[in-house]
Amino acid sequence: ELDSAALAALPRWLRDELSSALLLLDQERILAVIEKIAQTDRALAAALREGVANYHYLSISRQLQTGDA
């Protein structure tokens, strides 16, 4: 399960990069950003990979936006 607090704790530039990749539905770019996230939070990266594998782009995007509020 995706940890909203961990997602919100990511640096703004990383959240923006992931959000942009999700908006463009750019699978390769999404996975590249997740690899960057894995360098500091392996659990979050694993949850994001699972979400992406199941095409939960909208759900992930919403959680990213919630963290911006």
Side-chain angles (χ1 to χ4, degrees), residues 42-68:
R42 291 166 101 43
L44 178 58
L48 286 166
R49 278 190 207 97
E50 183 178 335
V52 168
N54 291 306
Y55 301 99
H56 295 163
Y57 301 124
L58 185 57
S59 174
I60 296 168
S61 290
R62 285 183 178 150
Q63 287 190 306
L64 281 167
Q65 291 172 355
T66 301
D68 287 343

Side-chain angles (χ1 to χ4, degrees), residues 14-52:
L14 203 46
R15 286 185 286 129
D16 288 348
E17 197 171 325
L18 181 57
S19 183
S20 176
L22 288 164
L23 183 64
L24 296 171
L25 301 175
D26 185 337
Q27 181 87 3
E28 193 172 309
R29 191 167 154 207
I30 292 167
L31 293 174
V33 176
I34 292 173
E35 284 307 309
K36 291 178 187 178
I37 293 169
Q39 294 173 9
T40 57
D41 191 333
R42 291 166 101 43
L44 178 58
L48 286 166
R49 278 190 207 97
E50 183 178 335
V52 168

